[in-house]
Amino acid sequence: MQWTDRIRQVKIMLVVAAILIAVASLFVSRMLTHDLVQEERKKVEVWAAAMRSLNLADENTDLELVLKVINNNTTIPVVVMGTDDKAQFYRNIQCPRGTGEDSLRYATQLGQRLMANGQVIRISLDMQQGEPAIAAATDYVNVCYDESLLLRRLEVYPVVQLGVVMIFVVVAIFALLTSKRAEQNKVWVGLSKETAHQLGTPISSLMAWTEMLRESYPDDTLIPEMDKDVKRLQLIADRFSKIGSLPEPVPTSLNDVLTHVIDYMDRRTSKSVRMIKDMPTHDVIVRLNGSLFEWVIENLSKNAVDAMQGEPGTITLHVEDTSQLAIVEVSDTGKGIRKKDLSNVFRPGFTTKKRGWGLGLSLAKRIVEEYHHGRIYVKRSEVGKGTTFRIELKK
């Protein structure tokens, strides 16, 4: 539970950091874009003044300076429009290739569009000396200007940066989950194999002592029960030893597997909990590792018993046989699972019990999906009414 909460906190922190970076980037880019727009307008005003000086040039005009100002504009697209709203001169504008459109006509259309957007500076051509350079007059031209390539790139930059930040967050979360999952898997595999190894010696001793007791007391009715429990321990140790390896599934009767689980659970659960078997009369044959799959059903059944919380109830093992799938459903009438916990039930370490490691459902999912290439999920759950787990196995 703590590990799940920690992962959730890290995810939230990464998302919040990404949002803050994106907002800051958008704000700064907005300021830079605004400043650059103002700067480009000032440059166009100077360029327009140079054009006016060129049109009104006399022997005292410094044409070299005027031409230098005009030619220095290599980035801002400009169109000089006459009183008839037709382009007279344009600069830094390229007609789209492949359209076959006349460049002057294209410049005229662009200029008209820029005028409609208010991106225009009017310069008078018949002013007397001392009058303002930019004013309304009977003889004038309109200098229309568009955004430079640099300004357009700056406007797109925040969107690109936001995309990069989001990709970084997704990759960071994925890497975090993957590394932790790999680390956890390694720990669980090592712990499982070590547990199986440690159980081997005492189980062998118990088997030997059971044989000696059977020879000494052949009529004792408790010795066969002891032998069953020792074999059960051996089965558990065998299951632990197979964690981390890839066991070979073989054709197995699903009916027999579930019957073994019901017989085992019936002897070890309260009489107030009733086990119901609902399966076809014919054998449902599926490629399984019987020992590991029994473990899955046992885990689901034990969780169902715990969900009863000591109250009377039923656990139903339902089997469906279709042409492509064998379906097993384990239903209980217990306390149910809250909606907010449904996405976490198969995560290692998640548990709602006061005691428990939260590994049962995680191992069950791994056995079903990785070892048997099946699917396990919560089909339905309602608080106070019970839960149904569904397992789908390919035939």
Side-chain angles (χ1 to χ4, degrees):
M1 192 73 173
Q2 292 179 350
W3 167 243
T4 302
D5 292 339
R6 194 177 300 115
I7 286 291
R8 189 175 299 164
Q9 291 172 0
V10 171
K11 287 181 181 178
I12 292 173
M13 289 174 61
L14 287 172
V15 171
V16 169
I19 292 173
L20 291 176
I21 292 172
V23 170
S25 174
L26 290 172
F27 178 74
V28 172
S29 297
R30 181 75 176 175
M31 291 180 58
L32 290 175
T33 302
H34 179 267
D35 292 344
L36 190 57
V37 167
Q38 298 301 318
E39 185 68 23
E40 288 194 351
R41 181 175 176 85
K42 290 178 181 179
K43 289 181 179 180
V44 173
E45 289 176 354
V46 173
W47 192 88
M51 286 293 296
R52 176 180 177 276
S53 298
L54 184 63
N55 279 284
L56 300 176
D58 55 23
E59 65 276 4
N60 297 321
T61 303
D62 187 352
L63 291 178
E64 183 179 353
L65 178 60
V66 171
L67 292 173
K68 185 175 182 179
V69 171
I70 293 173
N71 293 329
N72 274 348
N73 175 23
T74 58
T75 58
I76 304 173
V78 290
V79 183
V80 179
M81 303 287 287
T83 54
D84 58 353
D85 288 341
K86 291 184 178 180
Q88 297 180 350
F89 175 78
Y90 59 89
R91 188 174 182 84
N92 303 325
I93 293 174
Q94 291 184 347
C95 182
R97 295 180 179 180
T99 61
E101 190 173 2
D102 178 72
S103 59
L104 190 60
R105 182 181 176 185
Y106 175 77
T108 298
Q109 292 174 348
L110 177 61
Q112 291 172 351
R113 186 166 67 250
L114 294 173
M115 288 178 64
N117 292 338
Q119 296 171 259
V120 58
I121 298 172
R122 176 173 291 185
I123 60 174
S124 175
L125 300 179
D126 61 350
M127 295 187 306
Q128 301 298 323
Q129 188 173 3
E131 291 183 341
I134 302 174
T138 56
D139 192 10
Y140 64 88
V141 293
N142 290 316
V143 178
C144 306
Y145 62 95
D146 200 0
E147 295 176 344
S148 67
L149 182 60
L150 177 62
L151 183 57
R152 290 179 180 176
R153 287 176 177 174
L154 187 60
E155 289 174 343
V156 175
Y157 172 74
V159 178
V160 176
Q161 188 179 38
L162 180 60
V164 171
V165 170
M166 294 307 298
I167 291 173
F168 166 76
V169 172
V170 171
V171 170
I173 292 175
F174 178 77
L176 175 67
L177 294 177
T178 302
S179 63
K180 269 303 176 187
R181 190 178 296 115
E183 182 180 343
Q184 285 181 336
N185 287 342
K186 188 175 181 180
V187 171
W188 300 139
V189 169
L191 181 62
S192 299
K193 290 187 178 296
E194 181 62 21
T195 301
H197 177 71
Q198 294 294 334
L199 285 173
T201 302
I203 288 174
S204 299
S205 299
L206 286 171
M207 293 176 70
W209 284 112
T210 303
E211 288 299 322
M212 291 178 64
L213 288 172
R214 184 181 287 113
E215 291 177 2
S216 301
Y217 307 96
D219 298 326
D220 196 317
T221 58
L222 294 178
I223 294 176
E225 294 301 319
M226 290 176 59
D227 186 54
K228 289 180 182 179
D229 286 335
V230 171
K231 289 180 178 177
R232 177 70 185 175
L233 282 173
Q234 189 177 22
L235 176 63
I236 293 172
D238 180 61
R239 289 172 177 173
F240 273 99
S241 69
K242 291 177 180 176
I243 297 296
S245 57
L246 192 62
E248 184 66 28
V250 295
T252 305
S253 170
L254 198 56
N255 307 53
D256 291 345
V257 170
L258 298 185
T259 300
H260 292 161
V261 174
I262 291 174
D263 291 343
Y264 172 75
M265 293 296 299
D266 268 340
R267 295 196 302 269
R268 288 163 175 79
T269 55
S270 170
K271 296 300 181 183
S272 62
V273 177
R274 190 161 58 99
M275 302 283 294
I276 299 175
K277 180 170 62 175
D278 178 21
M279 58 185 70
T281 54
H282 64 277
D283 274 351
V284 180
I285 305 299
V286 186
R287 291 184 64 84
L288 294 175
N289 180 283
S291 174
L292 288 180
F293 195 76
E294 277 188 30
W295 193 2
V296 172
I297 305 301
E298 283 176 18
N299 267 307
L300 295 177
S301 301
K302 288 175 182 177
N303 285 344
V305 172
D306 292 338
M308 307 290 182
Q309 297 181 322
E311 299 293 328
T314 59
I315 301 173
T316 303
L317 272 63
H318 172 74
V319 177
E320 293 180 21
D321 187 18
T322 69
S323 58
Q324 296 181 337
L325 296 175
I327 299 168
V328 180
E329 291 184 355
V330 180
S331 305
D332 65 65
T333 56
K335 63 180 181 179
I337 303 171
R338 296 177 298 179
K339 286 186 177 179
K340 69 175 186 177
D341 292 334
L342 286 175
S343 60
N344 296 321
V345 293
F346 292 106
R347 289 185 177 178
F350 178 83
T351 180
T352 57
K353 304 174 188 176
K354 293 182 179 179
R355 294 183 179 180
W357 291 90
L359 299 178
L361 289 177
S362 174
L363 288 172
K365 184 178 180 68
R366 181 169 184 173
I367 290 169
V368 171
E369 296 187 354
E370 293 187 20
Y371 293 168
H372 295 92
H373 306 291
R375 185 181 175 213
I376 180 171
Y377 58 94
V378 180
K379 181 180 179 181
R380 58 178 172 266
S381 185
E382 188 173 347
V383 175
K385 292 190 176 181
T387 302
T388 297
F389 283 87
R390 183 182 176 97
I391 301 172
E392 298 175 355
L393 300 170
K394 295 179 181 179
K395 298 182 69 175

